[in-house]
Amino acid sequence: MKAYQKEFIEFAIERGVLKFGEFTLKSGRTSPYFFNAGLFNQGADLARLGRFYAAALEDSGVNYDVLFGPAYKGIPIATAAAIALFDGYQKNVPYCFNRKEKKDHGEGGNLVGSPLQGKVMLVDDVITAGTAIRESMELVHANGAELAGVLIALDRQEKGQGELSAIQEVERDYQAPVISIVKLNDVIQYISDSEELAPYVEQVTRYREQYGVSA
Ligand code: OMP
């Protein structure tokens, strides 16, 4: 685990974003941990969050033309990442986002910001079963753009519809990498090393045995 990844887990725990207990997921699975990116809800959080996304993106070496933040949670994340790429790496990257409600007056359409074209880096919070990503892909394709990659905070490393992880399915179906700041394996390593959180290791490991993938 790299230093920025450990710092990110610490940051998420400190802000109550990464929690341990019992949670029901969108997929119906009962999970011993949950990542609620909505609790990064202050200016300082957003500034730090943007720097972590930018670091993971730079670390990946993947090329892209535009950042796309799907409504709603992807919007502040893509915005913060674009600012951090400029501040930290002198990269002036175009970004755009969609509105969920289609506008029928003014400029029309449901995209805001830079045109959604070329190689798109889709920026979001978490992928579990991949449903949210598939919805966004319809927009990317409808605009004649292609997917450069998907950038998320946490890869839960869970099975999707079959034996592959939702992320492996996305990579297979769209031929593009999924980049994450941290993965479940990093979280397990982190809590194993923490006196306070070590009691959760067993439940989280059991969950990984039931729903996880090895890769
Ligand atoms: P999928 O659309 O199944 O990939 O799930 C992604 C969504 O699940 C996220 O956008 C959240 O709404 C929600 N989620 C989290 O935010 N954090 C988690 O740790 C787990 C989930 C989830 O419900 O699976």
Coordinates of all heavy atoms in Angstrom, one line a residue, residues 114-182:
S114 N -17.6 20.9 -20.5 CA -16.9 20.6 -21.7 C -17.7 19.6 -22.5 O -18.4 18.8 -21.9 CB -15.5 20.1 -21.4 OG -15.0 19.3 -22.4
P115 N -17.6 19.5 -23.9 CA -18.3 18.4 -24.6 C -17.8 17.1 -24.1 O -16.6 16.9 -23.8 CB -17.9 18.7 -26.1 CG -17.4 20.1 -26.1 CD -16.9 20.4 -24.7
L116 N -18.7 16.1 -24.2 CA -18.3 14.7 -23.8 C -17.8 14.0 -25.0 O -18.6 13.4 -25.8 CB -19.6 14.0 -23.2 CG -19.4 12.6 -22.6 CD1 -18.4 12.6 -21.5 CD2 -20.7 12.1 -22.2
Q117 N -16.5 14.2 -25.3 CA -16.0 13.6 -26.6 C -14.6 13.1 -26.3 O -13.9 13.5 -25.4 CB -16.0 14.6 -27.7 CG -15.3 15.9 -27.4 CD -15.5 17.0 -28.4 OE1 -16.6 17.0 -29.1 NE2 -14.6 17.9 -28.6
G118 N -14.1 12.3 -27.3 CA -12.8 11.7 -27.1 C -12.8 10.6 -26.1 O -13.7 9.9 -25.9
K119 N -11.6 10.5 -25.4 CA -11.4 9.5 -24.4 C -11.9 10.0 -23.0 O -11.3 10.9 -22.5 CB -9.9 9.1 -24.3 CG -9.5 8.5 -25.6 CD -8.2 7.7 -25.4 CE -6.9 8.5 -25.3 NZ -6.5 9.2 -26.5
V120 N -12.9 9.4 -22.5 CA -13.6 9.9 -21.3 C -13.1 9.1 -20.0 O -13.1 7.9 -20.0 CB -15.1 9.7 -21.4 CG1 -15.8 10.1 -20.1 CG2 -15.6 10.4 -22.6
M121 N -12.7 9.9 -19.0 CA -12.4 9.3 -17.7 C -13.6 9.5 -16.8 O -13.9 10.7 -16.5 CB -11.1 9.9 -17.1 CG -10.7 9.4 -15.8 SD -10.3 7.6 -15.8 CE -8.8 7.5 -16.8
L122 N -14.3 8.4 -16.5 CA -15.5 8.5 -15.7 C -15.1 8.5 -14.2 O -14.4 7.6 -13.8 CB -16.3 7.3 -16.1 CG -17.8 7.3 -16.0 CD1 -18.4 6.3 -16.9 CD2 -18.3 7.1 -14.6
V123 N -15.6 9.5 -13.5 CA -15.2 9.7 -12.1 C -16.4 9.5 -11.2 O -17.4 10.1 -11.3 CB -14.6 11.1 -11.9 CG1 -14.0 11.2 -10.5 CG2 -13.5 11.4 -12.9
D124 N -16.2 8.5 -10.2 CA -17.4 8.3 -9.3 C -16.8 7.9 -8.0 O -15.6 7.9 -7.8 CB -18.3 7.2 -10.0 CG -19.7 7.4 -9.6 OD1 -20.0 8.1 -8.6 OD2 -20.6 6.8 -10.3
D125 N -17.8 7.5 -7.0 CA -17.3 7.2 -5.7 C -17.0 5.7 -5.5 O -15.9 5.4 -5.2 CB -18.3 7.7 -4.6 CG -19.7 7.2 -4.9 OD1 -20.0 6.6 -5.9 OD2 -20.6 7.5 -4.0
V126 N -18.0 4.8 -5.7 CA -17.8 3.4 -5.4 C -18.4 2.6 -6.5 O -19.5 3.0 -7.1 CB -18.6 3.0 -4.1 CG1 -18.3 1.6 -3.8 CG2 -18.2 3.9 -3.0
I127 N -17.8 1.4 -6.8 CA -18.5 0.5 -7.7 C -18.8 -0.8 -6.9 O -17.8 -1.3 -6.3 CB -17.7 0.1 -8.9 CG1 -17.4 1.2 -9.8 CG2 -18.4 -1.1 -9.7 CD1 -16.6 0.9 -11.1
T128 N -20.0 -1.2 -6.8 CA -20.3 -2.5 -6.2 C -20.7 -3.5 -7.2 O -19.9 -4.3 -7.7 CB -21.4 -2.4 -5.1 OG1 -21.0 -1.4 -4.1 CG2 -21.6 -3.7 -4.3
A129 N -21.9 -3.3 -7.7 CA -22.4 -4.3 -8.8 C -22.2 -3.6 -10.2 O -22.4 -4.3 -11.2 CB -23.8 -4.6 -8.6
G130 N -21.9 -2.4 -10.2 CA -21.6 -1.8 -11.5 C -22.8 -1.1 -12.2 O -22.7 -0.7 -13.4
T131 N -24.0 -1.1 -11.6 CA -25.2 -0.6 -12.2 C -25.0 0.9 -12.6 O -25.4 1.3 -13.7 CB -26.4 -0.7 -11.2 OG1 -26.2 -2.0 -10.5 CG2 -27.7 -0.7 -11.9
A132 N -24.5 1.7 -11.7 CA -24.4 3.1 -11.9 C -23.5 3.4 -13.1 O -23.8 4.3 -13.9 CB -23.9 3.8 -10.6
I133 N -22.4 2.6 -13.2 CA -21.4 2.8 -14.3 C -22.1 2.5 -15.6 O -21.9 3.2 -16.6 CB -20.2 1.9 -14.1 CG1 -19.4 2.3 -12.8 CG2 -19.3 1.9 -15.3 CD1 -18.7 3.6 -12.9
R134 N -22.9 1.4 -15.7 CA -23.5 1.1 -16.9 C -24.5 2.2 -17.4 O -24.6 2.4 -18.6 CB -24.2 -0.3 -16.8 CG -23.2 -1.4 -16.7 CD -23.8 -2.8 -16.5 NE -22.8 -3.7 -16.0 CZ -21.9 -4.3 -16.9 NH1 -22.0 -4.1 -18.2 NH2 -21.0 -5.0 -16.4
E135 N -25.1 2.8 -16.5 CA -26.0 3.9 -16.9 C -25.2 5.0 -17.5 O -25.6 5.6 -18.5 CB -26.8 4.4 -15.6 CG -27.9 3.5 -15.2 CD -28.4 3.9 -13.8 OE1 -28.2 5.0 -13.3 OE2 -29.1 3.0 -13.2
S136 N -24.1 5.4 -16.9 CA -23.2 6.4 -17.4 C -22.7 6.1 -18.8 O -22.5 6.9 -19.7 CB -22.1 6.7 -16.5 OG -22.5 7.1 -15.3
M137 N -22.4 4.8 -19.0 CA -21.8 4.4 -20.3 C -22.8 4.6 -21.4 O -22.4 4.9 -22.5 CB -21.4 2.9 -20.2 CG -20.1 2.6 -19.5 SD -18.8 3.6 -20.2 CE -18.7 3.1 -21.9
E138 N -24.1 4.6 -21.1 CA -25.0 4.9 -22.2 C -24.9 6.3 -22.7 O -24.9 6.6 -23.9 CB -26.5 4.7 -21.7 CG -26.8 3.2 -21.5 CD -28.2 2.9 -20.9 OE1 -29.0 3.8 -20.9 OE2 -28.3 1.8 -20.3
L139 N -24.6 7.2 -21.8 CA -24.4 8.6 -22.1 C -23.1 8.8 -22.9 O -23.1 9.5 -23.9 CB -24.2 9.4 -20.8 CG -25.4 10.2 -20.4 CD1 -25.1 10.9 -19.0 CD2 -25.8 11.3 -21.4
V140 N -22.0 8.1 -22.5 CA -20.8 8.2 -23.2 C -21.0 7.7 -24.7 O -20.6 8.4 -25.6 CB -19.7 7.3 -22.5 CG1 -18.4 7.2 -23.3 CG2 -19.4 7.9 -21.1
H141 N -21.6 6.6 -24.8 CA -21.8 6.0 -26.2 C -22.8 6.9 -27.0 O -22.5 7.1 -28.2 CB -22.4 4.6 -26.1 CG -21.3 3.6 -25.7 ND1 -21.6 2.5 -25.0 CD2 -20.0 3.6 -25.9 CE1 -20.5 1.8 -24.7 NE2 -19.5 2.5 -25.3
A142 N -23.8 7.4 -26.4 CA -24.8 8.2 -27.1 C -24.1 9.5 -27.6 O -24.5 10.1 -28.6 CB -25.9 8.6 -26.2
N143 N -23.0 9.9 -27.0 CA -22.3 11.1 -27.5 C -21.1 10.7 -28.4 O -20.3 11.6 -28.8 CB -21.8 11.9 -26.3 CG -22.9 12.7 -25.7 OD1 -23.2 13.8 -26.1 ND2 -23.6 12.1 -24.7
G144 N -21.0 9.5 -28.8 CA -20.0 9.1 -29.7 C -18.6 9.1 -29.1 O -17.6 9.1 -29.8
A145 N -18.5 9.1 -27.7 CA -17.2 9.2 -27.1 C -16.8 7.7 -26.7 O -17.6 6.8 -26.9 CB -17.3 10.0 -25.8
E146 N -15.6 7.6 -26.3 CA -15.1 6.2 -25.8 C -14.6 6.3 -24.4 O -14.3 7.4 -23.9 CB -14.1 5.7 -26.8 CG -12.8 6.6 -26.8 CD -11.7 5.9 -27.6 OE1 -11.3 4.8 -27.2 OE2 -11.2 6.6 -28.5
L147 N -14.6 5.2 -23.7 CA -14.2 5.2 -22.3 C -12.7 5.0 -22.2 O -12.2 4.0 -22.7 CB -14.9 4.0 -21.6 CG -14.8 4.0 -20.1 CD1 -15.5 5.2 -19.5 CD2 -15.3 2.7 -19.5
A148 N -12.0 5.9 -21.6 CA -10.6 5.8 -21.3 C -10.4 5.0 -20.0 O -9.4 4.2 -19.9 CB -9.9 7.2 -21.2
G149 N -11.3 5.1 -19.1 CA -11.1 4.4 -17.8 C -12.2 4.9 -16.8 O -12.9 5.9 -17.1
V150 N -12.2 4.3 -15.7 CA -13.1 4.7 -14.6 C -12.3 4.9 -13.4 O -11.4 4.1 -13.1 CB -14.2 3.6 -14.3 CG1 -15.1 4.0 -13.2 CG2 -15.0 3.2 -15.6
L151 N -12.5 6.0 -12.7 CA -11.7 6.4 -11.6 C -12.6 6.5 -10.4 O -13.6 7.3 -10.4 CB -11.1 7.8 -11.8 CG -10.3 8.4 -10.7 CD1 -9.1 7.6 -10.3 CD2 -9.8 9.8 -11.1
I152 N -12.4 5.7 -9.4 CA -13.2 5.6 -8.2 C -12.4 5.7 -6.9 O -11.2 5.5 -6.9 CB -14.1 4.4 -8.1 CG1 -13.2 3.1 -8.3 CG2 -15.2 4.4 -9.2 CD1 -14.0 1.8 -8.1
A153 N -13.1 5.9 -5.8 CA -12.3 6.0 -4.5 C -12.1 4.6 -4.0 O -11.0 4.3 -3.6 CB -13.1 6.8 -3.5
L154 N -13.1 3.8 -4.0 CA -13.0 2.4 -3.4 C -13.5 1.3 -4.3 O -14.6 1.4 -4.8 CB -13.8 2.4 -2.1 CG -13.9 1.0 -1.4 CD1 -12.6 0.6 -0.8 CD2 -14.9 1.1 -0.2
D155 N -12.6 0.4 -4.5 CA -13.0 -0.8 -5.2 C -13.3 -1.9 -4.2 O -12.5 -2.4 -3.5 CB -11.8 -1.3 -6.1 CG -12.0 -2.6 -6.8 OD1 -13.1 -3.2 -6.6 OD2 -11.1 -3.0 -7.6
R156 N -14.6 -2.3 -4.1 CA -15.1 -3.2 -3.1 C -14.7 -4.6 -3.4 O -14.9 -5.5 -2.6 CB -16.6 -3.1 -2.9 CG -17.0 -1.7 -2.2 CD -18.5 -1.7 -2.0 NE -18.9 -2.8 -1.2 CZ -19.2 -2.8 0.1 NH1 -19.2 -1.7 0.8 NH2 -19.6 -3.9 0.7
Q157 N -14.1 -4.9 -4.6 CA -13.7 -6.2 -5.1 C -14.7 -7.3 -4.9 O -14.4 -8.4 -4.4 CB -12.4 -6.5 -4.4 CG -11.2 -5.6 -4.7 CD -9.9 -5.9 -4.0 OE1 -9.8 -5.9 -2.8 NE2 -8.9 -6.3 -4.8
E158 N -16.0 -6.9 -5.3 CA -17.1 -7.9 -5.1 C -17.5 -8.5 -6.5 O -17.4 -7.8 -7.5 CB -18.3 -7.2 -4.5 CG -18.1 -7.0 -3.1 CD -19.3 -6.3 -2.4 OE1 -20.5 -6.6 -2.8 OE2 -19.1 -5.5 -1.6
K159 N -18.0 -9.7 -6.4 CA -18.6 -10.3 -7.6 C -19.7 -9.4 -8.1 O -20.5 -8.9 -7.3 CB -19.2 -11.7 -7.2 CG -18.1 -12.7 -7.1 CD -18.8 -14.0 -6.7 CE -17.7 -15.0 -6.1 NZ -18.2 -15.8 -5.0
G160 N -19.8 -9.4 -9.4 CA -21.0 -8.7 -10.0 C -22.1 -9.7 -10.3 O -22.5 -10.4 -9.4
Q161 N -22.5 -9.8 -11.5 CA -23.6 -10.7 -11.8 C -23.1 -12.2 -11.9 O -23.9 -13.1 -11.6 CB -24.3 -10.3 -13.2 CG -25.1 -9.0 -13.0 CD -24.9 -8.0 -14.1 OE1 -24.3 -8.3 -15.1 NE2 -25.3 -6.8 -13.8
G162 N -21.9 -12.3 -12.2 CA -21.3 -13.7 -12.3 C -20.2 -13.9 -11.3 O -20.2 -13.4 -10.2
E163 N -19.1 -14.6 -11.8 CA -18.0 -14.9 -10.9 C -17.0 -13.8 -10.9 O -16.2 -13.6 -10.0 CB -17.3 -16.2 -11.4 CG -17.9 -17.4 -10.8 CD -18.1 -17.4 -9.2 OE1 -17.0 -17.3 -8.6 OE2 -19.2 -17.5 -8.7
L164 N -17.0 -12.9 -12.0 CA -16.0 -11.8 -12.1 C -16.5 -10.7 -11.1 O -17.6 -10.6 -10.8 CB -16.0 -11.3 -13.5 CG -15.4 -12.1 -14.6 CD1 -15.5 -11.4 -15.9 CD2 -14.0 -12.5 -14.3
S165 N -15.6 -9.8 -10.8 CA -16.0 -8.7 -10.0 C -16.7 -7.7 -10.9 O -16.5 -7.8 -12.2 CB -14.8 -8.0 -9.4 OG -14.1 -7.2 -10.3
A166 N -17.5 -6.8 -10.3 CA -18.2 -5.9 -11.2 C -17.2 -5.1 -11.9 O -17.4 -4.7 -13.1 CB -19.0 -5.0 -10.2
I167 N -16.0 -4.8 -11.3 CA -15.0 -4.0 -12.0 C -14.4 -4.8 -13.2 O -14.2 -4.3 -14.2 CB -14.0 -3.6 -11.0 CG1 -14.6 -2.4 -10.2 CG2 -12.6 -3.2 -11.6 CD1 -13.8 -1.8 -9.2
Q168 N -14.1 -6.1 -12.9 CA -13.6 -6.9 -14.0 C -14.6 -7.0 -15.2 O -14.2 -7.0 -16.4 CB -13.3 -8.4 -13.5 CG -12.1 -8.4 -12.6 CD -12.0 -9.7 -11.8 OE1 -13.0 -10.3 -11.5 NE2 -10.8 -10.1 -11.4
E169 N -15.9 -7.0 -14.8 CA -16.9 -7.0 -15.9 C -16.9 -5.7 -16.7 O -17.0 -5.7 -17.9 CB -18.3 -7.2 -15.3 CG -18.6 -8.6 -14.8 CD -19.9 -8.8 -14.1 OE1 -20.6 -7.8 -13.8 OE2 -20.2 -9.9 -13.7
V170 N -16.8 -4.6 -16.0 CA -16.7 -3.3 -16.6 C -15.5 -3.3 -17.5 O -15.6 -2.8 -18.7 CB -16.7 -2.1 -15.6 CG1 -16.3 -0.8 -16.2 CG2 -18.0 -2.0 -14.9
E171 N -14.4 -3.7 -17.0 CA -13.1 -3.7 -17.8 C -13.3 -4.6 -19.1 O -12.8 -4.3 -20.1 CB -11.9 -4.2 -17.0 CG -11.6 -3.2 -15.9 CD -10.4 -3.5 -15.0 OE1 -10.2 -4.7 -14.8 OE2 -9.7 -2.6 -14.6
R172 N -13.9 -5.8 -18.9 CA -14.1 -6.7 -20.0 C -15.1 -6.1 -21.0 O -14.8 -6.0 -22.2 CB -14.7 -8.0 -19.5 CG -15.0 -9.0 -20.6 CD -15.9 -10.1 -20.1 NE -17.2 -9.5 -19.7 CZ -18.1 -10.2 -19.0 NH1 -17.8 -11.4 -18.6 NH2 -19.2 -9.6 -18.6
D173 N -16.2 -5.5 -20.5 CA -17.3 -5.1 -21.5 C -16.9 -3.8 -22.2 O -17.3 -3.5 -23.3 CB -18.6 -4.8 -20.7 CG -19.2 -6.1 -20.1 OD1 -18.6 -7.2 -20.5 OD2 -20.1 -6.1 -19.3
Y174 N -16.1 -2.9 -21.5 CA -15.8 -1.6 -22.1 C -14.3 -1.5 -22.5 O -13.9 -0.4 -23.0 CB -16.2 -0.5 -21.2 CG -17.7 -0.6 -20.8 CD1 -18.1 -0.8 -19.5 CD2 -18.7 -0.5 -21.8 CE1 -19.5 -0.9 -19.2 CE2 -20.0 -0.6 -21.5 CZ -20.4 -0.8 -20.2 OH -21.7 -0.9 -19.9
Q175 N -13.5 -2.5 -22.3 CA -12.1 -2.5 -22.7 C -11.4 -1.3 -22.1 O -10.7 -0.6 -22.8 CB -12.0 -2.5 -24.2 CG -12.6 -3.7 -24.9 CD -11.8 -5.0 -24.6 OE1 -10.6 -5.0 -24.9 NE2 -12.5 -6.0 -24.0
A176 N -11.6 -1.0 -20.8 CA -11.0 0.2 -20.2 C -10.7 -0.2 -18.8 O -11.4 -0.9 -18.1 CB -11.9 1.4 -20.3
P177 N -9.6 0.4 -18.2 CA -9.2 0.0 -16.8 C -10.1 0.8 -15.8 O -10.5 1.9 -16.1 CB -7.8 0.5 -16.7 CG -7.7 1.6 -17.7 CD -8.6 1.2 -18.9
V178 N -10.2 0.2 -14.6 CA -10.9 0.8 -13.5 C -9.7 1.1 -12.5 O -9.0 0.2 -12.1 CB -12.0 0.0 -12.9 CG1 -12.5 0.7 -11.6 CG2 -13.1 -0.3 -13.9
I179 N -9.6 2.4 -12.2 CA -8.5 2.9 -11.3 C -9.2 3.2 -10.0 O -10.2 3.9 -10.0 CB -7.9 4.2 -11.9 CG1 -7.4 3.9 -13.3 CG2 -6.8 4.7 -11.0 CD1 -7.3 5.2 -14.2
S180 N -8.6 2.8 -8.9 CA -9.2 3.1 -7.6 C -8.1 3.7 -6.7 O -7.0 3.3 -6.8 CB -9.9 1.9 -6.9 OG -8.9 0.9 -6.8
I181 N -8.6 4.6 -5.8 CA -7.6 5.1 -4.8 C -7.2 4.0 -3.9 O -6.0 3.7 -3.7 CB -8.2 6.3 -4.0 CG1 -8.7 7.4 -4.9 CG2 -7.1 6.8 -3.0 CD1 -9.4 8.6 -4.2
V182 N -8.2 3.2 -3.4 CA -7.9 2.0 -2.6 C -8.9 0.9 -2.9 O -9.9 1.1 -3.5 CB -8.0 2.3 -1.0 CG1 -6.9 3.2 -0.6 CG2 -9.4 2.9 -0.6

